[in-house]
Amino acid sequence: MVTRQKIGVIGGGQLAWMMAIAAKRIGLELSVQAASPEESAVTVADRVIYGKVADARATAEMAQYCQVITFENEFVDLVALQELIDRDRNLLFLPKLDTLAISVDKLNQRQHFQAHNIPTPEFYAVDNQADLLAAATKLGYPLVLKARRHGYDGKGTWVIENETELQQAWAMMQKLPAIAEAFIPFERELAVIAARSESGEIVIYPVVETLQTNQVCRRTVAPARVNDQVSECIKKIAEQIMLTLNAIGVLGIEFFLTATGDVSVNEIAPRTHNSGHYTIEGCQTSQFEQLLRVVSAMPLGNVSMVAPVAVMVNLLGFENKSCEDAGYADKRTAIASLPNTHIHWYGKKQSSVGRKLGHVTVLADYHDAAIEICDRIESIWYSQ
């Protein structure tokens, strides 16, 4: 297959930014569809088309310059994109829209897992008040209520302890289609990045552990501190998901691990994922280069780690003000002085509490050594 040199990305945030950096490294031309000039990828992409993620007209414009289009996030208008394909049969999206239609909707995800015997929490569709109460009766409390689409970093997700909280969350969701799930008393949250080419080749990165605060990832520990049996189970499930979805591209897959060793799938993301940022310095091929390799029809890259341990720390906003006024530059300078650290700053102008502004990856020979440095990073970043 001839290598495609001109790649388009719907989205212009930090994931597209890291993809654009990787594209320059391997000699590909990258266009991005960005919502505004302030988005991270605008400064490094070869071409910028302005339009929100769901703006199919902007996507059609970008398609004039691209041989294939992939996605930074899943908040697209699938119906409008299908109409573009109907008008131009040469237009290629990877992953394909059929795959996106399952993975972008949490109910569709759960139904797909259930149909293919992939372990997943008990769930019920919630379209109205009667569905809501019926699901609560079947699941009991605590339970998890999620918006079917457009949720991320804890947005659109509530852990519900009683009926009062259930009604409050339902009101906050403005009665949009939702899904109610059994609460899993997990011991650890794990994740893995998987990639699959058009020829069917699959590579799976090391299983990682994600540490969350208020449902936002604070750290990723690679490899996860779990036994080989758990890692192999997760990799087999990841391969099953890639095959049953006929996914072509990169998937981020999140898992729950209970104290008894049971593994279940939490969610999937049909794109590069925060849990895979460590791969930039930590693996032979980053998740961003890997996605580019898939969509450009290059051979898949080596996913082995370059150091025994890599730990990624997200630099989250802690003030609602401009990044310049928040004093983040001095903190980054202090962090950069720590050994074996690699800082990625996304160039966002405005900070808000919990917003992902950058990340740091630490490479080490042992978990304890990496975590000690990460503790110092967080003490610097969140000190007043």
Side-chain angles (χ1 to χ4, degrees):
M1 186 179 293
V2 177
T3 300
R4 306 180 186 103
Q5 296 291 330
K6 298 181 179 182
I7 316 298
V9 182
I10 300 178
Q14 67 259 24
L15 299 181
W17 175 72
M18 287 179 270
M19 207 182 307
I21 293 170
K24 292 185 185 303
R25 187 179 304 117
I26 59 176
L28 298 178
E29 179 182 306
L30 198 81
S31 300
V32 300
Q33 179 178 323
S36 79
E38 293 189 354
E39 290 202 305
S40 301
V42 168
T43 59
V44 289
D46 295 295
R47 180 178 291 101
V48 180
I49 305 298
Y50 287 105
K52 294 182 179 180
V53 169
D55 185 349
R57 289 178 296 180
T59 304
E61 181 182 350
M62 183 171 65
Q64 299 176 35
Y65 306 100
C66 305
Q67 295 163 289
V68 60
I69 294 175
T70 190
F71 306 87
E72 181 197 49
N73 68 54
E74 54 270 32
F75 304 152
V76 295
D77 184 338
L78 291 172
V79 173
L81 294 185
Q82 183 60 54
E83 290 174 354
L84 295 183
I85 292 176
D86 293 341
R87 292 200 297 267
D88 181 0
R89 291 296 178 179
N90 293 318
L91 182 57
L92 178 62
F93 291 107
L94 293 177
K96 295 181 179 179
L97 299 189
D98 289 345
T99 302
L100 281 183
I102 296 172
S103 54
V104 303
D105 185 305
K106 292 181 176 61
L107 177 60
N108 291 350
Q109 284 188 31
R110 290 281 185 254
Q111 291 172 334
H112 179 86
F113 300 153
Q114 186 180 66
H116 292 88
N117 298 313
I118 296 169
T120 195
E122 183 181 358
F123 66 93
Y124 297 95
V126 175
D127 293 316
N128 51 51
Q129 180 78 6
D131 290 343
L132 184 73
L133 296 177
T137 298
K138 294 171 183 174
L139 294 170
Y141 297 103
L143 61 82
V144 180
L145 187 67
K146 295 180 177 179
R148 284 175 55 176
R149 289 200 65 182
H150 302 300
Y152 67 98
D153 290 346
K155 298 177 178 66
T157 298
W158 291 265
V159 178
I160 307 296
E161 299 287 349
N162 51 57
E163 186 173 346
T164 299
E165 291 183 3
L166 185 70
Q167 296 297 345
Q168 290 172 343
W170 181 238
M172 291 174 66
M173 295 179 70
Q174 299 178 329
K175 303 179 180 178
L176 292 171
I179 180 171
E181 303 177 353
F183 176 81
I184 303 298
F186 58 85
E187 181 182 67
R188 299 190 184 193
E189 292 182 89
L190 306 175
V192 74
I193 301 296
R196 182 169 179 262
S197 70
E198 290 174 274
S199 67
E201 180 186 3
I202 295 174
V203 293
I204 300 174
Y205 284 81
V207 177
V208 303
E209 181 180 351
T210 62
L211 306 177
Q212 315 280 330
T213 301
N214 297 324
Q215 301 184 62
V216 179
C217 181
R218 283 281 286 263
R219 293 185 187 181
T220 297
V221 180
R225 294 164 289 183
V226 297
N227 61 44
D228 291 344
Q229 184 178 358
V230 170
S231 290
E232 287 307 309
C233 175
I234 284 175
K235 289 183 177 182
K236 286 181 180 178
I237 293 172
E239 182 173 354
Q240 186 182 5
I241 290 172
M242 297 298 284
L243 290 171
T244 57
L245 284 175
N246 191 25
I248 300 171
V250 165
L251 257 62
I253 310 173
E254 300 175 339
F255 296 84
F256 294 129
L257 174 67
T258 68
T260 56
D262 293 323
V263 170
S264 60
V265 179
N266 177 19
E267 294 180 2
I268 60 175
R271 51 170 171 77
T272 54
H273 192 260
N274 190 210
S275 65
H277 288 357
Y278 80 95
T279 62
I280 297 174
E281 285 82 27
C283 294
Q284 297 284 352
T285 308
S286 77
Q287 64 169 342
F288 302 100
E289 179 181 330
Q290 198 74 273
L291 177 56
L292 291 168
R293 285 180 168 274
V294 171
V295 301
S296 65
M298 291 183 181
L300 297 186
N302 186 340
V303 299
S304 62
M305 293 184 64
V306 301
V309 174
V311 180
M312 186 278 299
V313 179
N314 275 324
L315 301 180
L316 305 176
F318 51 81
E319 292 183 297
N320 296 320
K321 58 171 60 176
S322 76
C323 289
E324 185 177 344
D325 293 339
Y328 292 138
D330 291 341
K331 293 178 182 290
R332 298 203 310 274
T333 299
I335 290 169
S337 68
L338 299 176
N340 303 316
T341 57
H342 305 267
I343 298 180
H344 299 262
W345 186 246
Y346 306 149
K348 297 179 181 180
K349 304 298 183 185
Q350 191 67 27
S351 168
S352 59
V353 176
R355 191 182 192 196
K356 292 172 181 172
L357 302 176
H359 74 266
V360 185
T361 300
V362 177
L363 302 183
D365 291 331
Y366 304 98
H367 282 101
D368 288 348
I371 288 169
E372 179 183 358
I373 295 173
C374 291
D375 289 342
R376 294 167 66 186
I377 289 170
E378 289 196 349
S379 68
I380 291 169
W381 187 252
Y382 295 106
S383 65
Q384 298 301 315

